[in-house]
Amino acid sequence: MTGRLDRLTGAAQETNRVQSMQDMLVSTPTGACMAAELMPGSRVITRDCGVQNLHRIARRVLSADEIDSAPQLAPIHIVAGALGAGLPERDMVLSPLTRVLVKRDHTALYFEDDTLLVPARNLVGLPGIGQAARAGVTYLHLGFEQHEVIRANGIWIECFQPDDPHVYGVGAEQREELFYLFPDLADTGSRAPDMPMVI
């Protein structure tokens, strides 16, 4: 199997190939940087707060067997151009609850806002977007001082900050996903402002 999506139907093909969020190209003041090359102190362009320093980064590899045991964590595959206007600029994978900033034309039947942060899993079924039936994945989470939205592969995605008071009440599922993937974060008590978030 190739691990690619059917570009017409968005249906995921079975694959044993590990997919990785580390392959994303993240916008920085000096140009696009592979997510795998970011480190604490790296400067990243955010949508609302300009350039911000990355405080922390961590990774979690899930095997295909682990995904089989927790299918709600199966990665969402988005092929290049699936969101229109040539975006994203390259194929990418996201965790199911990573929220993507989309324009109204993709959500007009369901929402009134012109732009919305929509969980990646809610985009499944659009042409070129699907959930892998069987695939390993490397998930990545980045930590900033506060909740941020960053550009990866040309699209804006949310960096969830579980302790940001501005997102209380709207991020319970995202916190659960974060703590499931990174259980050590749930044991830190009152988390410092630089505690990482899932993207």
Side-chain angles (χ1 to χ4, degrees), residues 1-90:
M1 295 293 181
T2 65
R4 297 178 66 81
L5 295 178
D6 184 313
R7 291 180 180 272
L8 295 178
T9 67
Q13 302 175 2
E14 289 197 6
T15 176
N16 291 316
R17 183 167 63 89
V18 173
Q19 308 295 308
S20 178
M21 291 178 69
Q22 298 185 104
D23 298 333
M24 297 186 306
L25 291 176
V26 176
S27 294
T28 76
T30 57
C33 179
M34 193 76 71
E37 298 175 358
L38 294 173
M39 60 186 65
S42 293
R43 292 167 62 77
V44 175
I45 295 173
T46 72
R47 182 173 184 264
D48 301 309
C49 299
V51 177
Q52 296 293 316
N53 291 332
L54 180 62
H55 283 206
R56 186 170 175 177
I57 187 168
R59 297 163 183 84
R60 169 77 182 271
V61 177
L62 295 179
S63 68
D65 288 340
E66 288 175 300
I67 292 293
D68 283 348
S69 298
Q72 74 277 13
L73 296 177
I76 306 300
H77 296 243
I78 305 177
V79 301
L83 295 176
L87 298 175
E89 297 167 343
R90 53 190 293 181

Side-chain angles (χ1 to χ4, degrees), residues 41-182:
S42 293
R43 292 167 62 77
V44 175
I45 295 173
T46 72
R47 182 173 184 264
D48 301 309
C49 299
V51 177
Q52 296 293 316
N53 291 332
L54 180 62
H55 283 206
R56 186 170 175 177
I57 187 168
R59 297 163 183 84
R60 169 77 182 271
V61 177
L62 295 179
S63 68
D65 288 340
E66 288 175 300
I67 292 293
D68 283 348
S69 298
Q72 74 277 13
L73 296 177
I76 306 300
H77 296 243
I78 305 177
V79 301
L83 295 176
L87 298 175
E89 297 167 343
R90 53 190 293 181
D91 293 4
M92 65 191 300
V93 295
L94 296 172
S95 70
L97 293 179
T98 296
R99 296 201 296 176
V100 179
L101 191 72
V102 298
K103 293 187 179 297
R104 177 177 164 81
D105 57 350
H106 282 297
T107 57
L109 295 177
Y110 311 102
F111 306 103
E112 296 181 356
D113 298 311
D114 289 337
T115 58
L116 293 169
L117 282 167
V118 177
R121 69 180 184 187
N122 289 11
L123 299 175
V124 170
L126 292 175
I129 304 178
Q131 191 165 36
R134 178 175 174 79
V137 63
T138 298
Y139 283 135
L140 183 75
H141 65 87
L142 305 176
F144 294 89
E145 186 173 347
Q146 61 188 8
H147 195 79
E148 298 289 1
V149 176
I150 67 170
R151 185 182 293 159
N153 292 347
I155 66 172
W156 294 102
I157 63 174
E158 180 182 52
C159 291
F160 181 66
Q161 168 54 279
D163 281 348
D164 190 331
H166 295 99
V167 296
Y168 281 156
V170 300
E173 277 193 289
Q174 286 170 295
R175 277 191 286 272
E176 289 178 9
E177 182 181 89
L178 173 64
F179 297 150
Y180 187 97
L181 290 171
F182 306 99

